[in-house]
Amino acid sequence: MLSTYPLCIAVLLSISTDVIAAPQPKARTTGTGVMSMDLKRRAMPPKTLEEKALWAKSHRELLHTKYGRALPGGKRSTGTNLLVNQGTDSSFYGSLAIGTPAVSYNVILDTGSADMWIADSSCITGCDSIPTFATADSSSYTNTSESFSITYGSGAAAGVLGSDTVQMAGFSVSNQVFAVCDQVSSGLLSDPVSGLLGLAWQSIASSGATPFWEALVAGGAWDSALMAFHLTRYLNVNGAAQLENGGSFTMGAVNSSLFTGDIEYISLVDSGSYWMIPITSLTVQGSTATIGSGSAAYAAIDTGTTLVGGPSDQIASVYSLIPGATAGTGSYEGYYLYPCDTTVNVTVSFGGKSWSISNDDFLLQQISKTECIGAFFDFTGGNSGPAWIFGDTFLKNVYSVFRYNTPAVGFAELSTVASAMNGNLEAKVPTATIGSVAAAVSATGTNNRNSDGALRSSPSLAILGAIVATVVFFAS
C-alpha cells in the first residue's frame, strides 16, 4: 500500500543484486494467431550476509516512506491474471497491455496504493534492461502535460501523467490515466517488471485518477464487484528459481477451487482509502501479544508489501513471546533475531476466525548458523496511514478477497489445490498471451464516489458495448 506512489516492492526490486536479468523475451505467433512471450526461469545465487542486511534495511525504509507520506450498459464478465512469484516471494506480478496497438508489460499488483505507473522508453536513468513504454508508438496515447514525481526511502521516480487504453485479463479501460516515468533511481526496477498497478481506492491516488479496477466496477464490467488473490510460497525452498508460478488474481469473481468453506468478510474501517481492517487478536506460541486499540490496531491488507509491519511496542510484544529473540541492530534495526531451531506459531484475528501464519513465512532469512530474522518488523506509519501493514507474509496463508460494495476484505482457508502449488518446482511459470476483450469501459480522472463511498453517476464511466480489441493476460 503506497501512500503517493506505491512501491514497497521497489525495495524488493531495488535489491536487484537478487535478480539475474534475463534477455527481453521475444514474441512468437502460434498457428492460431495468438501471440505469446516466454518468461525465462533463472536459478538464484545465494545472498551474501551483506545483501541480506541491505534488503532488510531498504525494505523497512521504503515501507515507512510508503505509509508516512501525506495523501494527496454492456457486457459483464470475469477474468483471471496468472501471477509470477519473483525473488522467492519478494513480489508478485501480472501482465497488462497498454496502447494501440497493445503492448504487454509486467507490473506489480499492489492493493496498498492506487496509482498506475510505467517506465518510459525515453527514461534517462534507472531503466536499463527493462521493457519500457514508447508513447509515440501508441496512436491512442494522450500526454496531459502534468508533471509527476515521487520520492522513496531509497530512490525516486519522475515523469508525466498521460492517458491511454489499458487492458488486463479480458477487460479494457480507455482514457486510463497513469504516470510515464523517465527518471527512476537506480535499482528501483528490475527486469522483467516495468511498473506497478495500484489496486486501492481513488482517494489515495496521488494522480487523482480513477484506478483501473474502480473504472471497471463503475462501468459495470464485472459480474461481481470484487477481486481476489491466491499467492504461492517459495520462500526458503531449495532450488527455487528467480521466477516461479505466483498464483492468480481474479477480477469480477472468486475461484472456488482455491478455497474451502465460507469467506469471512471484515468491513473496512475507512471506506474508500486503504483496504484497512481492525486487528482484534494476535497470538504467538499460544499466548496473546499486546495490540493497540482503536486506530492503533488498524491494518492495511497489502499485496505489494512482502512482510508484516507494526508499531514498535506491539512488535516488541510479539517477539517477547519467542524465547531467545533479540532486537536487531545496524542494517537489521527494526527487525528481530531469534533461534532458527524455534518453530514460531502466529495467529491473527480481525474480528472472527483466527488465521495462522506458517512458520515457513515467519522465518524470513537465516543470517548465521543459529540466528534467523522474523518477518514481523518495527514500522511507524504516518498520521493518516495505517498502524499495521499485513503483506504477503500473511496473504500467502489465505485466499483474499477485496470487495467494492459494501467495502470489505474477505479471507478464506486455502484448498488442497491451492496449497499444493506452494514450492512446486515443476509448476510452469505463466507466460503473457494476447486474447480478446470481454468488456470495456472509459475512465476519467474525476472522483466518482460520494463522501459515503457510494458511486456517483457519470457519463464518462459507461460501458462501450461489444468491442473487438486485444488484451494481455497470463496463461499457464
Side-chain angles (χ1 to χ4, degrees), residues 411-467:
F411 303 118
E413 292 185 17
L414 293 175
S415 67
T416 55
V417 171
S419 297
M421 298 183 195
N422 291 332
N424 184 356
L425 300 180
E426 302 302 317
K428 186 176 180 180
V429 177
T431 56
T433 62
I434 303 230
S436 60
V437 168
V441 304
S442 178
T444 70
T446 58
N447 192 326
N448 292 287
R449 296 184 70 84
N450 296 317
S451 58
D452 61 358
L455 182 68
R456 295 191 188 123
S457 61
S458 172
S460 65
L461 291 174
I463 285 285
L464 299 183
I467 294 179

Side-chain angles (χ1 to χ4, degrees), residues 2-4 70-72 113-115 200-211 213-214 268 270-275 384 445-451 453:
L2 321 200
S3 69
T4 59
L71 298 176
S113 65
D115 287 289
W201 302 79
Q202 181 180 11
S203 65
I204 64 170
S206 60
S207 62
T210 302
W213 76 274
E214 279 197 85
L268 302 190
D270 179 15
S271 298
S273 61
Y274 295 105
W275 294 101
S384 57
T446 58
N447 192 326
N448 292 287
R449 296 184 70 84
N450 296 317
S451 58

Side-chain angles (χ1 to χ4, degrees), residues 21 35 138 149 222 293 320 334 374 431:
M35 184 175 291
S138 174
S149 66
W222 289 356
S293 60
S320 71
T431 56

Side-chain angles (χ1 to χ4, degrees), residues 52-123:
K52 290 179 180 180
L54 175 61
W55 185 93
K57 181 179 180 181
S58 298
H59 180 83
R60 183 168 178 264
E61 287 178 350
L62 277 183
L63 196 58
H64 275 86
T65 302
K66 178 178 179 178
Y67 286 98
R69 295 179 60 84
L71 298 176
K75 183 176 181 180
R76 293 171 181 261
S77 188
T78 66
T80 296
N81 194 279
L82 299 184
L83 305 179
V84 176
N85 183 320
Q86 183 179 40
T88 56
D89 305 0
S90 288
S91 59
F92 295 82
Y93 67 79
S95 181
L96 50 69
I98 305 173
T100 306
V103 177
S104 65
Y105 299 94
N106 295 320
V107 292
I108 301 299
L109 303 182
D110 182 19
T111 59
S113 65
D115 287 289
M116 172 184 164
W117 71 277
I118 199 82
D120 191 357
S121 60
S122 63
C123 186

